[in-house]
Amino acid sequence: MELPLIALLLVVGLVVGWGVGARYARARRGWTDYRAARRAVPGARRAALVLIRAAFTRVGVIALLLFGAVAYATVGPDHDRAEPAPGPAPSATVTPTGGRGR
């Protein structure tokens, strides 16, 4: 009667050990991934700030160019108020009107 009890305890121990071992391995992998991600965050943060700074610089330059173009357009000469350009001078040549055929 002792043999089946020992076998039962062995099976229960294997099942519990397998479950605990699987959860322990999963926890170790998670902890390793967490430490790797924690070490990578400062580098990723610096890279993100560099990219954001570059984007803001480009947007700022484009905004300044647009502002300058609008300012130039509002201050520049207004062609409606400008003096009209002189037209072509009348020609001094006389054109024949209804002459006889030669």
Side-chain angles (χ1 to χ4, degrees), residues 51 53-63:
L51 291 175
R53 188 176 300 130
F56 273 115
T57 302
R58 288 186 180 134
V59 167
V61 167
I62 291 170

Side-chain angles (χ1 to χ4, degrees), residues 6-31:
I6 292 175
L8 180 66
L9 288 175
L10 180 65
V11 168
V12 169
L14 285 172
V15 169
V16 169
W18 176 77
V20 170
R23 285 191 171 85
Y24 177 76
R26 186 175 181 186
R28 289 294 295 171
R29 283 193 308 270
W31 181 249

Side-chain angles (χ1 to χ4, degrees), residues 70-98:
V70 169
Y72 179 76
T74 57
V75 174
D78 190 7
H79 295 292
D80 294 336
R81 287 186 279 147
E83 295 287 328
S91 67
T93 59
V94 178
T95 57
T97 56

Side-chain angles (χ1 to χ4, degrees), residues 1-7:
M1 181 137 128
E2 251 180 59
L3 191 59
L5 182 62
I6 292 175

